[in-house]
Amino acid sequence: MPSDLIQRPERTAPAVSRTAPRRRTRVLALAEARWATAALVLFLVALPFQLTGAPAWSWGPLYAAAYVTGGWEPAWAGLTALREKTLDVDLLMIVAAIGAASIGQVMDGALLIVIFATSGALEALATARTQDAVRGLLDLAPATATRLDVDGSGSTVPTGDLVVGDTVLVRPGERVGADGRVLTGASEVDQATITGEPLPVAKEAGDEVFAGTLNGTGALRIRVERDASDSVIARIVAMVEEASETKAPTQLFIEKVEQRYSLGMVAATLAVFLVPLASGADLTGSLLRAMTFMIVASPCAVVLATMPPLLSAIANAGRHGVLVKSAVVMERLGQVDAVALDKTGTLTEGTPRVTDIRPLDGSGLTEYALLALAAAAEHPSEHPLARAVVDAAHTRGLRIAGMRDFASTPGVGVRATVDGHTIAVGAPARLLYGDDDTDTVRAAKFAADLEDGGRTAVLVLRDSVPVGVLGIADRLRPEAAATVAALTTLTGGTPMLLTGDNPRAAARLAAEVGITGDEVHAGLLPQDKVEAVRRLEARGRKVLVIGDGVNDAPALAAAHSGIAMGRAGSDLALETADAVIVRDELATVPKVIALSRAARRLVIQNLAIAAVFISGLVVWDLAGHLPLPLGVLGHEGSTVIVGLNGLRLLRDTAWTRAVQNTQ
């Protein structure tokens, strides 16, 4: 093979990112956002003129423009729905806003228009950002690959042109261009985007590799086994899009009855106007009574009965590091009765750390001396295990000696000269050659003990003699066990662990946090996680998935609710999830669920209050004579009461009570 084909690229830094390049739709690129912004600006300009007593000609046209800019889209959507013989609350709110303006409540109607326009813009933005993330995922797979011909020469071709049976070369630091199997070569491949494994996986002849994963320091020749359209990355994109499209429509509680309420209110308003008119009543009196009825029966108080508690809960959760993307999400979080957790980056911190330092008797080394020796040899290496060793030495304040003659062998380890000794650090299976001397046997036993405990063992040799073993593992989050216990209490069942990591590491971690063996599912690809979630939902469970990686995104999209870890989370996971833990504080998950349940209880209280006011005012208007100003006062009063009641969840005591409910 020509030597120039396997040379390491001079600059490989851009390839180290685990996440897709960010694609962001600008807010004002959306028509809904532009119209909502215009309506808001017009409203804010008109409001001071009205409040300071300026003449109507100075603020009236501004309010009228706000009605038009913010209301034409929901009005058009409502009319479109009307042509399809359905009546939604959007059109009803537009009619209510116009009705409010017709009796002099121009500002109230404009405010209603602005709220509706802003809500529509936020929904459009959320949809656009999710689509951005899904499209950006495809950028994880490189656009081109080096295809090898029969004579060993290579040519650069688009990855979309690769077919099953082609042989491609993946140089050090490059991303794999297609799903396939290694023919020759050895390297470590970071496949966290696919499996979520925290450490690179050693690959050699016969091992499977995936498109979009990141090659380490060795060169690999790979035989393509899947077309680009059938790669794991492509299937992740398809699963996210399919789950987003087929997921049951989400509605707030009150929206589930909006169709019947809207039809009933329209029919009742017409009856209040036409029946007295047919009985000989005068036109003005009948119209006034019907207008009063429409105002007092309009669902403003009902809408506010629902939104303030949920929005207050969203604001409170945001102050404590949980970004909940909408009121619908906040309501749904309180409904979950089953939880599925990712391992790496969710229950763990996602960064390998040195957990054990075991010098061999007779080596003459202390724990710190062994660590410093290994760090000196590993210092130039870019491997994640090497960085963990060097970071551990720095954390302990150890002096790292100088080294020379550094060499790295993919899949084996590193070798360097430190203080006149040849130091080798790497995989015990590759560095122990079957000798039966005492040091070798003891080192092998230490390594086996560490690996049985779910850690990665790293052997240290000095002049070809074993002197110690290091244990490296992804560290468990301190609050993980308490979070699992709290989620078990809230949902009545133990959470399920879904991970692409190996079964032994998964079982060890599950035991530490209190997840039973039957609930541990390891070695999963993204589609396997989705299947596990769907099996639960087929049994009638409302599943919450918590994850952080690209490989978690399909499950996040398919679940009843999804929460992503914010700091290390991939763009796709952050956009697909319904909520984001901004500061990666896992303990906030059960708290926000408890807060959601408190919001749902408050919604029910508010609906009862609104129903009492509306029914009382309606009966008064129908059975007697309700003056229009008094009807407006009663309607607005009920709206204020339920609004203030809903704002109770803004207080810090609401979060404190949520904390207490999880303990």
Side-chain angles (χ1 to χ4, degrees):
M1 182 185 300
S3 60
D4 62 327
L5 290 179
I6 59 173
Q7 292 177 351
R8 185 185 180 109
E10 293 183 3
R11 295 182 60 86
T12 61
V16 300
S17 174
R18 289 186 174 191
T19 58
R22 180 176 292 271
R23 298 170 180 254
R24 302 286 285 182
T25 296
R26 291 181 296 108
V27 175
L28 293 181
L30 300 171
E32 295 90 343
R34 294 195 297 271
W35 289 116
T37 301
L40 177 61
V41 170
L42 290 166
F43 177 82
L44 293 177
V45 172
L47 185 61
F49 285 105
Q50 183 188 19
L51 295 179
T52 55
W57 60 262
S58 64
W59 47 264
L62 294 173
Y63 277 137
Y67 274 73
V68 173
T69 55
W72 80 267
E73 281 195 320
W76 180 257
L79 291 173
T80 301
L82 197 60
R83 286 201 299 270
E84 298 174 358
K85 299 181 181 180
T86 60
L87 183 64
D88 60 24
V89 78
D90 286 357
L91 185 59
L92 200 60
M93 286 295 96
I94 296 298
V95 172
I98 295 174
S102 68
I103 60 172
Q105 304 295 322
V106 180
M107 186 269 287
D108 293 341
L111 179 59
L112 195 59
I113 291 289
V114 169
I115 291 173
F116 261 68
T118 302
S119 175
L122 291 175
E123 182 178 354
L125 180 61
T127 301
R129 289 288 168 82
T130 300
Q131 292 172 346
D132 289 344
V134 173
R135 290 194 300 268
L137 176 60
L138 292 172
D139 290 339
L140 280 174
T144 61
T146 302
R147 182 169 60 191
L148 299 179
D149 298 327
V150 177
D151 60 0
S153 62
S155 58
T156 301
V157 299
T159 52
D161 292 346
L162 295 175
V163 297
V164 175
D166 281 349
T167 299
V168 296
L169 172 71
V170 183
R171 298 181 179 89
E174 292 184 343
R175 287 195 179 273
V176 178
D179 286 7
R181 200 165 297 276
V182 178
L183 293 176
T184 60
S187 185
E188 301 92 6
V189 177
D190 181 351
Q191 50 189 37
T193 53
I194 302 298
T195 66
E197 292 171 284
L199 300 174
V201 178
K203 298 290 185 180
E204 55 187 17
D207 290 335
E208 185 178 21
V209 291
F210 304 108
T213 54
L214 181 64
N215 187 27
T217 57
L220 298 174
R221 284 203 307 162
I222 297 168
R223 182 179 65 247
V224 177
E225 294 190 341
R226 294 192 190 97
D227 290 332
S229 60
D230 194 38
S231 68
V232 173
I233 279 286
R235 279 184 281 167
I236 291 176
V237 173
M239 283 188 292
V240 172
E241 292 177 335
E242 179 185 0
S244 299
E245 292 171 359
T246 60
K247 196 171 181 178
T250 56
Q251 292 179 300
L252 290 174
F253 174 75
I254 191 57
E255 290 176 348
K256 295 177 181 178
V257 296
E258 72 173 47
Q259 182 71 16
R260 294 179 181 178
Y261 187 93
S262 301
L263 290 172
M265 179 181 164
V266 171
T269 301
L270 291 174
V272 169
F273 173 62
L274 295 175
V275 171
L277 193 63
S279 301
D282 66 283
L283 177 63
T284 302
S286 298
L287 182 60
L288 185 60
R289 181 185 291 267
M291 184 63 65
T292 303
F293 177 86
M294 186 186 73
I295 294 298
V296 300
S298 67
C300 297
V302 176
V303 172
L304 283 181
T306 303
M307 293 302 292
L310 296 173
L311 295 178
S312 298
I314 289 173
N316 202 333
R319 290 203 308 270
H320 292 89
V322 183
L323 173 62
V324 180
K325 294 185 178 180
S326 72
V328 169
V329 172
M330 179 55 76
E331 185 188 47
R332 289 169 65 92
L333 284 172
Q335 301 171 355
V336 300
D337 57 11
V339 178
L341 292 155
D342 174 48
K343 172 183 170 288
T344 304
T346 302
L347 287 175
T348 69
E349 295 179 348
T351 303
R353 298 175 185 273
V354 174
T355 58
D356 301 84
I357 306 173
R358 297 188 181 182
L360 296 181
D361 295 338
S363 65
L365 298 175
T366 63
E367 290 187 357
Y368 279 7
L370 174 63
L371 179 60
L373 194 64
E378 294 272 31
H379 194 265
S381 176
E382 298 177 357
H383 194 283
L385 292 181
R387 290 198 295 269
V389 172
V390 174
D391 288 345
H394 284 312
T395 300
R396 292 163 174 79
L398 304 181
R399 185 186 72 84
I400 299 178
M403 48 72 60
R404 57 186 177 83
D405 302 328
F406 174 82
S408 175
T409 304
V412 178
V414 302
R415 189 177 301 272
T417 301
V418 180
D419 292 335
H421 296 281
T422 299
I423 307 299
V425 183
R430 301 298 179 90
L431 295 179
L432 293 175
Y433 300 107
D435 296 335
D436 56 0
D437 62 87
T438 302
D439 289 337
T440 299
V441 172
R442 189 178 296 119
K445 184 179 185 306
F446 279 177
D449 289 344
L450 290 172
E451 290 173 351
D452 287 342
R455 295 162 176 79
T456 298
V458 175
L459 178 68
V460 182
L461 302 178
R462 181 176 57 191
D463 297 327
S464 301
V465 178
V467 292
V469 181
L470 305 178
I472 299 178
D474 188 6
R475 190 164 65 181
L476 187 69
R477 293 187 187 276
E479 71 274 22
T483 299
V484 169
L487 290 172
T488 301
T489 300
L490 283 172
T491 63
T494 305
M496 181 168 57
L497 179 63
L498 303 178
T499 178
D501 211 344
N502 67 80
R504 187 167 55 185
R508 178 189 62 83
L509 180 134
E512 289 186 38
V513 300
I515 297 178
T516 58
D518 291 341
E519 301 298 336
V520 179
H521 304 269
L524 303 183
L525 289 175
Q527 59 266 31
D528 301 322
K529 293 187 177 185
V530 172
E531 183 60 31
V533 170
R534 287 178 174 164
R535 282 197 301 269
L536 270 180
E537 294 192 330
R539 300 202 297 263
R541 308 296 295 275
K542 291 181 170 60
V543 183
L544 168 66
V545 171
I546 308 170
D548 72 308
V550 167
N551 59 312
D552 300 315
L556 289 169
H560 175 79
S561 300
I563 297 180
M565 308 298 286
R567 285 185 175 174
S570 68
D571 286 350
L572 185 64
L574 297 180
E575 298 294 353
T576 304
D578 300 307
V580 176
I581 306 174
V582 178
R583 295 190 289 266
D584 278 9
E585 296 172 347
L586 191 62
T588 58
V589 174
K591 297 170 187 175
V592 78
I593 292 175
L595 187 66
S596 171
R597 294 182 177 180
R600 285 170 57 82
R601 290 192 295 269
L602 209 54
V603 166
I604 295 173
Q605 292 177 17
N606 279 350
L607 288 174
I609 294 172
V612 168
F613 269 88
I614 290 176
S615 59
L617 293 172
V618 166
V619 170
W620 188 353
D621 185 51
L622 295 178
H625 177 68
L626 175 63
L628 180 59
L630 191 57
V632 172
L633 180 62
H635 176 266
E636 296 299 328
S638 65
T639 302
V640 171
I641 290 173
V642 298
L644 292 177
N645 191 42
L647 295 179
R648 288 163 47 198
L649 289 183
L650 281 173
R651 297 180 298 182
D652 284 335
T653 53
W655 184 263
T656 303
R657 284 194 297 271
V659 173
Q660 293 170 349
N661 289 337
T662 64
Q663 295 175 345

